[in-house]
Amino acid sequence: MAQDDINESEWNNPDNWSGGLYFSKKDSRVWVPKPIRSMGWTINLGQKKGAACMMWTFIGGIVFVVLMNIVVINLVIKK
């Protein structure tokens, strides 16, 4: 079985989907289409690169919020 066939088979397996998240170690793709393909793409958290991408996105969001709070607090204190 070719890797493309394995990827499609894994993507179609409902056991690999949980709460809109996709987990499959057998699927070689990091980015996969969502179950409703017109809704965009999601990350394959079963791949190390996918899990790392999700982690860095989460950490980046936290850093952004913290930095924005620091900026706003400094602006309020200067007034």
Side-chain angles (χ1 to χ4, degrees):
M1 185 179 257
Q3 187 61 48
D4 288 341
D5 296 331
I6 293 170
N7 292 347
E8 192 65 25
S9 174
E10 287 293 303
W11 184 83
N12 285 318
N13 184 349
D15 293 337
N16 293 330
W17 292 92
S18 176
L21 300 175
Y22 181 70
F23 302 86
S24 175
K25 291 185 178 185
K26 294 178 185 175
D27 191 332
S28 63
R29 302 172 293 180
V30 174
W31 291 95
V32 296
K34 290 187 176 185
I36 301 172
R37 291 182 188 251
S38 63
M39 297 297 289
W41 296 78
T42 190
I43 298 172
N44 179 1
L45 296 172
Q47 293 290 325
K48 288 181 182 180
K49 288 180 184 178
C53 184
M54 179 66 90
M55 179 187 71
W56 284 112
T57 301
F58 183 72
I59 289 171
I62 291 172
V63 168
F64 177 77
V65 168
V66 168
L67 290 176
M68 290 307 296
N69 281 323
I70 290 170
V71 168
V72 169
I73 288 169
N74 284 332
L75 288 174
V76 169
I77 290 172
K78 288 183 180 181
K79 284 188 174 185

